[in-house]
Amino acid sequence: MLQPSVHFLDFRDGNPAYDRFNVLWQLVDLDKQPTTLDRAVTTSDFHLAEGDLVVFPTLLSGAGEFEAMRFVGPKMTLSTGDAFPLLTAGIEYPEFPSLLIQHMDVSSLKDIYEAPFNAVLQEQSPKYNLKDIFSSDEEGYNEFWNDPPVARRRGPSGGDPWQISLSECIWIKTLEGKLSRDKMKNAEADKVEL
């Protein structure tokens, strides 16, 4: 089963993304590595795969908990080399890109993405999880997973794709697929203790 990792990245040159929300993002220069703030971590430990989540914390404006998150789409070949499209993931709640889930069993999405989504939320507030978005309404939460929202294009693209060089990113950290599941279990245990 797919176990997506959650990668937290930042832009080396500040935050040039706000005016580019409506264009396709392409992560290019995949043969290069992002820089890191932690000298103990080598960037050779950075590995990106289709289905992973990429979060740019500086993009959080308060509009929604998922505005800073992107899904890593299927690798594509451009004239300049390979690239990963970074696909929108919703704003106030997760939306799944059709390009990513068209080849997946929709009934497995909860098993695959519940823990990574919760890991993203817990970076914003340690006791926050996806059920909180649904005001702890179990029926609404189950409906979300039974009939997941699919991100649809809302009109024409806002221009040419934005190519983001991996070498122009700062790698903050990665929560490996298994680690995000462990983090979710620990947060659930903390909630039970309350």
Side-chain angles (χ1 to χ4, degrees), residues 27-189:
L27 196 58
V28 298
D29 297 329
L30 301 179
D31 57 329
K32 299 182 177 156
Q33 293 292 311
T35 59
T36 180
L37 299 176
D38 184 351
R39 296 194 190 281
V41 176
T42 62
T43 56
S44 62
D45 296 332
F46 182 83
H47 301 284
L48 204 58
E50 178 182 339
D52 282 357
L53 300 174
V54 176
V55 179
F56 294 93
T58 55
L59 293 181
L60 286 170
S61 70
E65 290 81 357
F66 293 97
E67 66 182 329
M69 185 176 80
R70 298 275 170 148
F71 285 92
V72 177
K75 191 180 278 187
M76 52 198 299
T77 301
L78 306 174
S79 62
T80 55
D82 288 339
F84 277 118
L86 298 180
L87 308 169
T88 58
I91 295 176
E92 295 178 351
Y93 57 87
E95 293 179 344
F96 294 92
S98 59
L99 181 64
L100 190 64
I101 66 167
Q102 65 188 352
H103 302 292
M104 297 176 76
D105 176 10
V106 173
S107 66
S108 67
L109 289 178
K110 183 176 183 182
D111 292 335
I112 296 170
Y113 282 106
E114 182 179 38
F117 288 165
N118 282 329
V120 169
L121 291 169
Q122 288 162 8
E123 285 297 312
Q124 296 172 45
S125 178
K127 300 216 185 265
Y128 199 41
N129 68 43
L130 194 55
K131 281 186 180 177
D132 294 327
I133 298 225
F134 295 92
S135 302
S136 297
D137 172 20
E138 197 70 32
E139 187 177 323
Y141 187 69
N142 290 333
E143 178 64 24
F144 169 81
W145 290 112
N146 292 334
D147 187 18
V150 176
R152 305 221 186 280
R153 212 170 201 186
R154 293 172 178 85
S157 172
D160 293 332
W162 180 32
Q163 295 188 341
I164 306 164
S165 174
L166 187 56
S167 65
E168 293 299 316
C169 293
I170 298 170
W171 179 30
I172 300 167
K173 68 179 173 180
T174 293
L175 298 175
E176 300 295 334
K178 181 184 178 320
L179 292 178
S180 62
R181 281 166 178 61
D182 292 343
K183 187 172 182 174
M184 183 175 99
K185 287 177 187 172
N186 292 340
E188 286 173 357

